[in-house]
Amino acid sequence: MKATAVAPSNLAFIKYWGVIDPVLRLPANNSISMNLSGLLTTTTVEFNDSFNEDDILINGEYNKSESDRVTIHLNRIRALAKIGAKARVVSKNNFPASTGLSSSASGLAALTAASAAACSLNLSIRRLSILARLGSGSACRSVPDGVTEWVAGKTSDDSYGLSLYPPDYWNIVDLVAIISSEKKEIPTTQGHGLASTSPFFQVRQNLLPNKIKDLKKYLSEKDFNKFGHLVEAEALELHAIMLTSNPSLFYLRPETVLLIRKVQNWRKEGLEVFFSLNTGQDVHLLCQEKDVKSLKDLVARIPQVKKTILNYPSNGVRLVDNHLF
Ligand code: PMV
């Protein structure tokens, strides 16, 4: 049987950085994110006893390391469904992959839902989220809807994403400013393993429970100003940990810093806009719906920004009928 799923990438307000179990991808801390309506992966999977091997095409290309990761994930699904059939997988992003826009979150969430449906596994959101997590940690937050929390858990069965708020809860916007589509050198899976080498990692762990409490309060009060300041501080903290890891991880580029300085200036001039960053050079610009036009106009005047993608909070992964093959 064949099935197709569409999954959003997500932007973490509280970041997942560091693992207590790299194989099961059990994170060092809870994280909270919003699903992004404009950054999507679509994946079609077909299992068929007549296929001789897994045939995996991602963004029109065959890539050995990505295919191996997909096959490992298909094996998890095959084991659950108790089937041996090989699969054909075609997957497409509508945005550049491996540049820090969390294509592995949307990719693994879409792969999980499509392959589970393709072998008639009827799984709850929680089970799908757990499975997606095994493929890529942050993918577990792209399964449920809207603003989601990944409950770190202590075992595989209690580490999953759940929905805190539906997509229409708050009209906030994430305008992604793409600076370069060049792929990052160090994949995040490797970065998570280095996090604890930072002398500041444990300090972060100690402070996180209160930070998470604060973020939840600002979300519940829809206090955009406090929310934005916290999200920005969290993005900088992620980079502080990465910069002080051994070896040091450096993802920022001059253009990234330029944009951060612009955001700080725009705010001084009265525009309520905040930035966030992941493991890449591109910048997430957060504002409220009422300020989108002003923000877009300002960003359009910066030649270093190659492209922007507008995102609203969105649903998580869903099955669709239009297959890619
Ligand atoms: O799920 P991974 O291994 O791609 O890691 C995601 C890491 C960050 O994007 C930096 C933070 C996060 O929580 O999304």
Side-chain angles (χ1 to χ4, degrees):
M1 200 181 126
K2 191 190 280 188
T4 300
V6 176
S9 172
N10 62 66
L11 170 69
F13 305 141
I14 299 285
K15 309 289 184 183
Y16 150 50
W17 198 243
V19 279
I20 55 167
D21 184 328
V23 177
L24 292 177
R25 294 183 204 271
L26 294 178
N29 57 274
N30 285 25
S31 51
I32 296 178
S33 62
M34 122 183 182
N35 285 326
L36 302 174
S37 62
L39 298 181
L40 302 172
T41 299
T42 304
T43 302
T44 300
V45 179
E46 180 180 6
F47 290 101
N48 196 312
D49 285 324
S50 71
F51 295 162
N52 292 325
E53 55 184 2
D54 290 333
D55 175 10
I56 298 153
L57 200 66
I58 301 173
N59 294 317
E61 287 173 12
Y62 172 78
N63 171 307
K64 166 108 178 70
S65 71
E66 284 183 2
S67 291
D68 288 351
R69 194 167 176 184
V70 170
T71 296
I72 290 170
H73 203 58
L74 291 171
N75 288 342
R76 294 185 181 109
I77 313 269
R78 281 189 277 248
L80 266 182
K82 299 188 175 57
I83 60 165
K86 299 294 180 193
R88 180 166 183 215
V89 177
V90 175
S91 185
K92 273 189 190 154
N93 292 333
N94 69 347
F95 64 100
S98 306
T99 64
L101 295 178
S102 303
S103 54
S104 65
S106 51
L108 267 296
L111 177 67
T112 304
S115 40
C119 57
S120 305
L121 275 177
N122 191 9
L123 301 177
S124 63
I125 296 291
R126 175 171 167 170
R127 294 274 15 135
L128 277 178
S129 178
I130 290 169
L131 258 179
R133 188 204 77 235
L134 292 166
S136 168
S138 54
C140 77
R141 297 189 311 242
S142 286
V143 173
D145 291 341
V147 174
T148 72
E149 177 167 18
W150 175 4
V151 183
K154 297 247 175 320
T155 66
S156 191
D157 278 353
D158 59 16
S159 185
Y160 58 93
L162 50 83
S163 181
L164 293 179
Y165 293 105
D168 60 1
Y169 170 70
W170 199 10
N171 57 353
I172 52 176
V173 173
D174 174 10
L175 185 70
V176 172
I178 296 183
I179 275 160
S180 157
S181 294
E182 214 167 287
K183 300 204 172 191
K184 59 189 172 198
E185 285 161 22
I186 314 272
T188 47
T189 302
Q190 212 175 315
H192 288 293
L194 296 174
S196 62
T197 64
S198 164
F200 305 115
F201 182 71
Q202 201 45 54
V203 179
R204 166 170 168 74
Q205 294 308 307
N206 296 343
L207 294 173
L208 266 171
N210 273 337
K211 205 181 205 180
I212 291 173
K213 219 182 278 168
D214 287 345
L215 179 81
K216 286 186 170 171
K217 182 168 181 280
Y218 305 152
L219 281 171
S220 76
E221 291 167 354
K222 297 188 184 171
D223 186 331
F224 190 70
N225 195 268
K226 287 189 177 147
F227 162 82
H229 281 287
L230 188 153
V231 168
E232 244 183 47
E234 172 65 356
L236 292 172
E237 191 168 297
L238 168 74
H239 281 262
I241 300 291
M242 296 194 296
L243 287 166
T244 52
S245 295
N246 186 10
S248 171
L249 297 178
F250 201 103
Y251 292 106
L252 307 176
R253 292 191 181 209
E255 299 89 332
T256 316
V257 178
L258 174 108
L259 206 50
I260 289 175
R261 301 305 293 257
K262 292 271 184 206
V263 168
Q264 290 167 339
N265 285 336
W266 293 334
R267 215 158 52 227
K268 274 190 203 136
E269 287 159 12
L271 184 70
E272 263 196 312
V273 53
F274 297 90
F275 66 82
S276 183
L277 306 160
N278 280 338
T279 46
Q281 61 271 11
D282 299 328
V283 182
H284 293 258
L285 301 167
L286 290 158
C287 71
Q288 294 170 91
E289 170 72 22
K290 66 179 173 61
D291 293 324
V292 175
K293 191 175 172 323
S294 315
L295 179 62
K296 274 174 115 178
D297 289 349
L298 287 168
V299 175
R301 286 189 227 141
I302 303 174
Q304 287 85 352
V305 175
K306 303 283 178 282
K307 194 183 163 189
T308 56
I309 303 174
L310 189 61
N311 294 282
Y312 295 91
S314 88
N315 280 328
V317 71
R318 57 261 180 197
L319 294 171
V320 296
D321 290 332
N322 34 343
H323 305 305
L324 295 178
F325 62 89

